[in-house]
Amino acid sequence: MLDLVRLRALHAVGTHGSVGAAAEALGFTPSAVSQQIAKLERETGSTLLERRGRGVVLTDAALMLVRTAGRMLALAEQAEIDLEERRGRPAGRLTVAAFPSAARGLLPAALARLAAAHPELDLRMTEVDPHLSVGMAARGEVDLAVTHDWDTVPLPAPEGLRRTALMADACEMLLPRDHPLAALDRPLVREDLRSVRWVCQPPGSVCHGWLMSTLRAAGQEPDVAFTAGEYQTQVELVAAGLGVALLPRLGR
């Protein structure tokens, strides 16, 4: 019978990419993780880790065990959850990953209410960009990922994840007070934005990708003059008259 603790150690190495990272995630020492995997190698009669430079790589046998271990650990976790639900009290650790503006604007009150209603829950939260948090949820590093996407740039959900819509967030144009477009007495349209200089999230972010694809679809090449990850920094750049920005209300 394979030992679940040793399978968990191997699964953590496969998930996090190294013995050291696995040890940190599990709260063990690297030597303890190595010892568990060595015992698993003796139990299975298979080599599971091979030295590669300064690190290790998983063998084919280890990769097979990691896939199986993932299913076994999920079943064990579900069994624990089912038992707690029968007792009528949610318990255990619940780890949430959220993008910055949701971590600030949505989760504090929600997590506080959850903690008050279920004191046996060990709540954890980490601030992570959406394109990273989805992968973390798929790998089991977090239990829940609060993400965002745009209507024209949907965020894919890997197999095994369930998606639930929380809310729709409107985006608004931010203009310097004395900008010519600010004097218009009608809603702005894309054609109004041909010659503006943009303040936007950095390349690689969901917001930057949405802006580029949306305006390019309208035959425009956006002039992104300033990039900043913090929405408040974007607001200050716009207020200084350096450009315009398109910001979600939650971010602002």
Side-chain angles (χ1 to χ4, degrees):
M1 182 69 69
L2 295 176
D3 184 279
L4 196 60
V5 174
R6 293 163 194 165
L7 286 174
R8 188 186 300 275
L10 180 64
H11 184 267
V13 174
T15 298
H16 299 283
S18 70
V19 171
E24 184 176 353
L26 295 173
F28 297 161
T29 63
S31 61
V33 172
S34 297
Q35 289 171 15
Q36 291 294 333
I37 295 176
K39 292 176 181 178
L40 187 59
E41 287 183 322
R42 290 195 293 272
E43 288 178 351
T44 60
S46 302
T47 299
L48 301 177
L49 298 182
E50 293 180 344
R51 288 285 176 186
R52 185 74 57 83
R54 295 185 177 181
V56 295
V57 295
L58 274 66
T59 63
D60 290 342
L63 292 172
M64 181 273 292
L65 274 179
V66 165
R67 291 192 293 269
T68 303
R71 295 193 293 270
M72 294 173 64
L73 293 170
L75 285 171
E77 181 179 1
Q78 188 60 52
E80 293 174 354
I81 293 171
D82 291 344
L83 283 173
E84 294 300 336
E85 287 180 346
R86 287 179 63 87
R87 299 187 183 105
R89 58 176 194 269
R93 177 174 293 187
L94 179 66
T95 304
V96 182
F99 61 95
S101 51
R104 181 186 67 247
L106 291 180
L107 285 180
L111 293 176
R113 289 196 300 270
L114 190 60
H118 304 291
E120 293 185 54
L121 275 178
D122 177 12
L123 295 175
R124 307 293 177 102
M125 190 201 77
T126 182
E127 184 180 290
V128 183
D129 285 338
H131 64 286
L132 297 177
S133 63
V134 171
M136 294 172 67
R139 293 189 298 271
E141 297 173 25
V142 299
D143 303 297
L144 173 69
V146 180
T147 71
H148 69 80
D149 60 8
W150 299 75
D151 50 359
T152 57
V153 188
L155 191 67
E159 184 179 355
L161 296 184
R162 183 172 63 187
R163 181 196 297 260
T164 299
L166 295 179
M167 58 181 287
D169 191 20
C171 277
E172 297 171 328
M173 285 293 304
L174 262 64
L175 304 163
R177 188 181 300 275
D178 58 356
H179 196 282
L181 292 177
L184 296 179
D185 58 356
R186 59 169 176 78
L188 297 180
V189 296
R190 291 176 183 173
E191 287 69 25
D192 296 324
L193 306 175
R194 291 189 179 278
S195 59
V196 301
R197 289 163 62 84
W198 286 95
V199 178
C200 185
Q201 293 271 16
S205 65
V206 175
C207 295
H208 186 278
W210 179 87
L211 178 70
M212 302 300 287
S213 64
T214 299
L215 294 183
R216 283 171 177 168
Q220 304 177 33
E221 184 60 32
D223 180 11
V224 178
F226 302 92
T227 62
E230 291 288 338
Y231 282 124
Q232 190 56 43
T233 304
Q234 295 183 37
V235 171
E236 295 299 326
L237 289 166
V238 172
L242 296 171
V244 307
L246 188 65
L247 268 64
R249 290 179 181 176
L250 181 62
R252 191 158 56 83

